[in-house]
Amino acid sequence: MQPQSRIYVAGHRGLVGSAIYRQLQQQGYTNVITATRQELDLRDELAVRRWFDQQQPEYVFLAAAKVGGILANATYPVDFLQDNLQIQTNVIAHSFRTGVKKLLFLGSSCIYPKFAPQPIKEEYLLTGALEPTNQWYAVAKIAGIKLCQAYRQQYGWSAICAMPTNLYGPGDNFDLQTSHVLPALIRKFHEAKVQGQPQVTVWGTGTPRREFLYVDDLADACIFLMQHYDDPEIINVGTGEDLSIKELAALVQKIVGYQGEIVYDTSKPDGTPRKLLDISRLQALGWQAQTPLALGIEKTYEWYLAHAQGCTKA
Ligand code: GFB
């Protein structure tokens, strides 16, 4: 990838895509192209075909996807399976057809079996049953991985697949029904502090463990992989450290400065008991995450405070 290369970031308004876009600009890439959802519906095969014919990108970061937290995944199974299958199949197929040199597909740590040994190595893919709450999303992402690997096997095309752990950061979704845990906790503690509420409700038992990666670190890893990785095998992207939801809640509470009590709503699902990625493959290439969790949460809270007006859906 050269500074003048024509680079398409699919999903540039989302958490991951916007971070990749920012990072590319910062690193001096001057020819980054994007299309909003209004300009191009990636589920529409004909529209994607025409767009690629016109735009002819050389490199593609495929960060467009229907995403959400544990409740959204379980509530909208059709959207999570069908939209993602359509988006990724259209972008991958037309990237290849129009001569894209290299494509990076973003998966997720939920592709691995629910009870995978920890930390999770790349080779554990498809060795056990999936977590039911996000099986729809996981199956779509696994199909995306296999399609990339199939293009490489059949045509020798450079499609690579990165599997990020749970992500957070500026630009995240703070809608309490559809968000992931970290933005949800920032918002819940902030609103409780401002409104003087005595309690904040955290879903589940608080015992599941998760690993959190700051999205700008992921963006840096994606550009690094585009430059240095060209292998059929998927590659994990994480920090190598996890914590319980209870520990996370205490950390967010402290950063937000909320004095009240935490209660647990055990009628809500816990999901996978633990999800910690083995990152030795990426470390061996020379990449490591830079942002400690507390600092990343502080930056995300600052972003939330500056944009809270736009995050007002209950
Ligand atoms: O982040 P999250 O929604 O997704 O939930 P997953 C992580 C854990 O936090 C679960 C708990 O045990 C939740 O029950 N939790 C506690 C909360 N309070 C809250 C809250 O207010 N909101 C939310 N959302 N959770 C996702 C998948 O699974 O992992 C996605 O659904 C994606 O598909 C992502 O793959 C990486 O980590 O359980």
Side-chain angles (χ1 to χ4, degrees):
M1 220 165 48
Q2 302 300 316
Q4 290 81 25
S5 296
R6 211 162 154 71
I7 304 165
Y8 172 41
V9 179
H12 76 289
R13 290 259 171 97
L15 175 67
V16 173
S18 61
I20 294 175
Y21 185 82
R22 277 197 301 278
Q23 195 71 231
L24 284 167
Q25 303 267 325
Q26 275 169 22
Q27 294 189 19
Y29 293 94
T30 54
N31 201 358
V32 183
I33 50 175
T34 57
T36 63
R37 202 169 297 184
Q38 287 70 37
E39 289 162 345
L40 175 61
D41 181 348
L42 293 173
R43 297 168 303 180
D44 179 344
E45 199 265 333
L46 190 58
V48 175
R49 172 183 289 274
R50 288 193 182 126
W51 191 88
F52 272 86
D53 281 338
Q54 281 165 7
Q55 298 295 331
Q56 301 275 330
E58 294 171 271
Y59 295 88
V60 172
F61 289 90
L62 178 38
K66 170 84 182 167
V67 297
I70 193 164
L71 195 63
N73 268 265
T75 314
Y76 306 106
V78 174
D79 299 357
F80 278 82
L81 180 55
Q82 186 168 285
D83 287 11
N84 284 316
L85 284 173
Q86 288 173 333
I87 292 168
Q88 68 203 29
T89 306
N90 290 340
V91 174
I92 292 168
H94 290 294
S95 292
F96 174 72
R97 185 184 61 82
T98 56
V100 164
K101 291 178 186 159
K102 191 169 181 181
L103 176 142
L104 182 143
F105 173 66
L106 277 145
S108 162
S109 56
C110 74
I111 58 156
Y112 293 113
K114 173 170 182 155
F115 297 114
Q118 307 285 321
I120 308 171
K121 292 183 190 296
E122 288 86 350
E123 54 264 34
Y124 299 163
L125 179 63
L126 292 173
T127 57
L130 296 166
E131 153 61 28
T133 52
N134 56 35
Q135 59 178 316
W136 320 100
Y137 180 72
V139 165
K141 289 292 182 184
I142 294 168
I145 293 166
K146 290 293 166 193
L147 190 57
C148 289
Q149 292 174 339
Y151 268 103
R152 184 182 286 271
Q153 186 168 315
Q154 193 170 333
Y155 299 111
W157 188 43
S158 286
I160 58 171
C161 302
M163 296 307 117
T165 194
N166 284 36
L167 302 168
Y168 72 101
D172 212 337
N173 168 20
F174 288 82
D175 176 320
L176 294 180
Q177 293 307 309
T178 58
S179 68
H180 288 97
V181 61
L182 209 152
L185 292 182
I186 289 179
R187 179 169 174 178
K188 284 180 181 179
F189 284 121
H190 174 73
E191 290 184 348
K193 180 177 86 169
V194 171
Q195 295 162 11
Q197 292 164 10
Q199 288 183 338
V200 160
T201 304
V202 174
W203 294 353
T205 59
T207 57
R209 297 184 69 84
R210 295 288 184 274
E211 174 188 16
F212 295 94
L213 177 67
Y214 190 60
V215 72
D216 286 5
D217 286 349
L218 171 72
D220 188 59
C222 288
I223 296 168
F224 175 87
L225 289 169
M226 193 62 117
Q227 287 161 331
H228 301 289
Y229 189 73
D230 195 11
D231 198 282
E233 297 309 321
I234 62 176
I235 186 159
N236 289 340
V237 188
T239 63
E241 290 173 18
D242 67 351
L243 77 176
S244 70
I245 297 301
K246 202 170 270 181
E247 289 164 336
L248 177 73
L251 184 58
V252 176
Q253 178 180 27
K254 188 166 152 231
I255 289 167
V256 172
Y258 172 68
Q259 305 292 337
E261 193 195 349
I262 297 174
V263 291
Y264 288 89
D265 175 2
T266 52
S267 71
K268 293 284 193 306
D270 269 345
T272 303
R274 193 174 184 203
K275 207 163 33 169
L276 174 65
L277 295 179
D278 182 311
I279 51 164
S280 39
R281 189 174 285 179
L282 184 55
Q283 273 179 333
L285 292 175
W287 189 90
Q288 194 135 359
Q290 295 299 323
T291 313
L293 182 57
L295 177 63
I297 296 174
E298 281 167 22
K299 287 185 178 181
T300 309
Y301 184 39
E302 274 169 31
W303 187 92
Y304 172 74
L305 290 176
H307 297 83
Q309 227 82 61
C311 311
T312 48
K313 264 170 77 188

